[in-house]
Structures are given as structure tokens and as C-alpha cells.
Amino acid sequence: MHRAPSERTLRRVLAGVDGDELDRQTCRYLGGQAAIGESGEGQASERCAETAEIEDVAVHLWVGMGVERETRRARQRARQRPDPAGVLAGGAADGKALRGARHGEEHGPQLLSLLHHTRGVVLGQRRIADKTSEVPELAPLLLDALACGDIAVVTVDALHTVRETARHLSEDLGLYYVMILKENQLKALAAAMLALAGGTDAAHERAATGHTDLDKGHGRRERRTIRTAAADAIDFPHAAQVFRIVRQVAEIGGPGVSKEVAYGITNAPPDVAGPAHLGILYRVKTRPRWL
């Protein structure tokens, strides 16, 4: 007869495990599993036609088991409006507090994680020491995480938009970066605003330096307009382009339109990441495509 271990046994075993090593091996296992599933293109293509209808039905059946409505909408959008060819495989680095967790006397410890944009797999994560910043932890995180991923570009928020991180990603790791510009990089932000101020959105689209994406869902309409410009005159490590994204959201049948403007910088040249590609990389930073 098989008997499950008691809670006390599980706690005793886990207390003796190296948490960092367990986390590292778990992320590598999950990353490897995703890679294996995607590597069998021949088998996957055969299964796709046979199981597509079953998967669509299953999505509806799983709603009561925790799969949200957004999952179905994302899959429908992917079928109706597929992403343009050539989107780089990316990972989003971001820090989160673990609510409900505890480490010694500390409640809600902070973790810095690297999430694969399309697989929805955490490729690695590191705990942020008390009273320290996430920034110095990004380099060791990538050293572990990149061993089990096919990452070509790393997207980060404004906190990690620092010169050393840009240099490390470009020179030491040979990766592209997409970074958000805010007040911590005032000179680069001012230069980007100046470079992107001229012309209209229509003129940028005609010149292949602009793109507009429309979306509808959750009772609202969303319009995202991006324009790009060369970063030749901007003093930032290996910068190739700057971009501006304007996001306008209108409630269907509601009053007014909300507007958000964000600026960013990347070392990817236009032939590697055009406006449509940068718009996708920016969007999945906040809303991964696997949802």
C-alpha cells in the first residue's frame, strides 16, 4: 500500500533543500520541456489538424477550472491576426513580491524573474536581498536562465534601463534589448522625444517607421500607435532605434478616451525589429502572448 508523506515529512525535506538550486533545476526542467514540445515540428503539425477542434472545445470546458476568458480571446486573436514574421524570441525581466510567502522575519520577499514571452515559462528567478535593488541581480539571472531558453531579446522596464545593463546584454551576451525610457535616463529620454516629435503617424507608416494596431475586448477599444527613429545621436550603449508608443483606450459606450505615452530604446536595427515587431515586444512585456 502506498501512503503519501505527511505534511511534517514534506516540510522537513524541503527545509533541507537548497532553495536556489531547486529553483534553478525546476526552471531548467520547465524550459527544456517547452523546448522539446516545440522541437518536433513534423509531429506537431500532424497533431495540430487532428486536435485543433478538440482544443477549442476543451478551452470552453476548462473555464470553470481556472482558465480565464482572456485565454480564449488571445487564441482567437492569434488566429485572426497573426503576428508578423520575424518576431524575435524574447524574455521579460521583472520583479515581483511574493505575497503570502515568508523568509525568516521578512514577509513578501522580492523575486526577479525572466519569463519567456510566448511559452509562458519562467526560465529563471533570483531572490532580491533585503534593502537592495533588482538591477545587479539581472546579470546572474540571465547567466542561469539563458541556459534553457532560445532568447534573442530581453525586455525590461525603466528600472533596468541603465548603461551597464545595455552594454552587458549587447557585448557580453550578444542579445538585443528593448528598454523603457523614463526620468532615470533624462538625456536619452529628451533626445528620443526630440527625434520622434516630427511628422504625423500616417507619414511614419508610409515611411515604414510607424505602425498602428487596433484591438477590442473587455468592453473597450484599444488603439496602439508606434513610431520609430534612428538613435544615431543618442549617447546610450549600442542604441540603434528609439520608439514612441501611444496607447488610447475607449470604453465602449462610455465617455472619453484615456491616453498613455511611453518611450523606449533598443539596440535592434530596423531590419531586425521594425515598428510592428517593437510594438509586439512592448505589449508582451505587460501581457504575454501565451495568455
Side-chain angles (χ1 to χ4, degrees), residues 129-144:
D130 300 346
K131 300 180 181 180
T132 60
S133 169
E134 299 175 9
V135 176
E137 295 296 333
L138 181 60
L141 167 66
L142 293 175
L143 187 63
D144 287 338

Side-chain angles (χ1 to χ4, degrees), residues 88 133 145 234 250 274-275:
L88 297 172
S133 169
I234 297 180

Side-chain angles (χ1 to χ4, degrees), residues 153-183:
V153 58
V154 175
T155 60
V156 298
D157 54 24
L159 177 65
H160 292 277
T161 304
V162 295
R163 299 180 63 88
E164 175 56 25
T165 298
R167 186 209 62 79
H168 176 63
L169 288 170
S170 301
E171 299 178 10
D172 300 337
L173 300 180
L175 296 175
Y176 295 114
Y177 62 76
V178 175
M179 297 180 168
I180 305 304
L181 290 173
K182 287 189 177 180
E183 288 75 10

Side-chain angles (χ1 to χ4, degrees), residues 77-200:
R77 284 196 300 267
R79 290 193 295 264
Q80 296 176 347
R81 292 178 299 170
D83 292 338
V87 179
L88 297 172
D94 199 5
K96 298 293 182 183
L98 297 182
R99 296 182 180 179
R102 180 175 177 178
H103 186 273
E105 298 298 323
E106 179 192 7
H107 293 273
Q110 296 278 338
L111 288 182
L112 178 64
S113 303
L114 184 72
L115 176 71
H116 197 288
H117 282 175
T118 54
R119 293 178 182 171
V121 175
V122 176
L123 299 176
Q125 55 188 15
R126 290 179 64 87
R127 179 174 174 266
I128 309 302
D130 300 346
K131 300 180 181 180
T132 60
S133 169
E134 299 175 9
V135 176
E137 295 296 333
L138 181 60
L141 167 66
L142 293 175
L143 187 63
D144 287 338
L146 294 178
C148 59
D150 57 348
I151 299 301
V153 58
V154 175
T155 60
V156 298
D157 54 24
L159 177 65
H160 292 277
T161 304
V162 295
R163 299 180 63 88
E164 175 56 25
T165 298
R167 186 209 62 79
H168 176 63
L169 288 170
S170 301
E171 299 178 10
D172 300 337
L173 300 180
L175 296 175
Y176 295 114
Y177 62 76
V178 175
M179 297 180 168
I180 305 304
L181 290 173
K182 287 189 177 180
E183 288 75 10
N184 61 332
Q185 293 291 339
L186 277 176
K187 290 184 178 180
L189 175 60
M193 295 174 68
L194 181 62
L196 295 162
T200 64

Side-chain angles (χ1 to χ4, degrees), residues 237-260:
H238 302 277
Q241 297 183 87
V242 289
F243 61 89
R244 186 190 77 180
I245 292 182
V246 178
R247 178 173 174 263
Q248 296 174 308
V249 179
E251 300 291 335
I252 297 178
V257 177
S258 64
K259 180 178 178 180
E260 298 176 1

